[in-house]
Amino acid sequence: MRVIPLGPEASVGDFARYPGCRLAVTCAMCGWTKGYSPERIIHRLRELKAGGYTTPLAVVARRVQWPCPGCHRLKWRANLAWPPELTEAEAKRLAARARN
């Protein structure tokens, strides 16, 4: 996954500015990554009454409580990222669709 460079104040709701992106949860120790739908994450945070659109990505990473399948440790970070199969042309098409 290609990480979207965002500052430390980035929140889950920032996904709306990047159509087609995923929320990537990455192990800080070994680099194992899994992508999730940002809408699904927001829905789950609301179910748990633990946040929503304005929840910082760092808080989402701290809420992950399962061990990494690669190294079996619990040190996560969360970022917004483009999936590897998303081409630049497809990203532009999705941005135009969201804008119009």
Side-chain angles (χ1 to χ4, degrees), residues 41-64:
I41 300 296
I42 291 169
H43 178 71
R44 182 67 177 147
L45 287 169
R46 286 187 172 168
E47 280 180 351
L48 296 172
K49 295 182 175 38
Y53 281 92
T54 60
T55 305
L57 293 174
V59 172
V60 173
R62 282 195 301 265
R63 292 196 58 84
V64 177

Side-chain angles (χ1 to χ4, degrees), residues 16-66:
R17 286 189 261 165
Y18 306 100
C21 75
R22 310 281 290 166
L23 187 122
V25 177
T26 306
C27 177
M29 303 305 242
C30 71
W32 185 89
T33 302
K34 178 154 172 98
Y36 293 95
S37 166
E39 293 95 350
R40 180 177 171 234
I41 300 296
I42 291 169
H43 178 71
R44 182 67 177 147
L45 287 169
R46 286 187 172 168
E47 280 180 351
L48 296 172
K49 295 182 175 38
Y53 281 92
T54 60
T55 305
L57 293 174
V59 172
V60 173
R62 282 195 301 265
R63 292 196 58 84
V64 177
Q65 294 298 311
W66 45 274

Side-chain angles (χ1 to χ4, degrees), residues 6 35 61:
L6 299 171

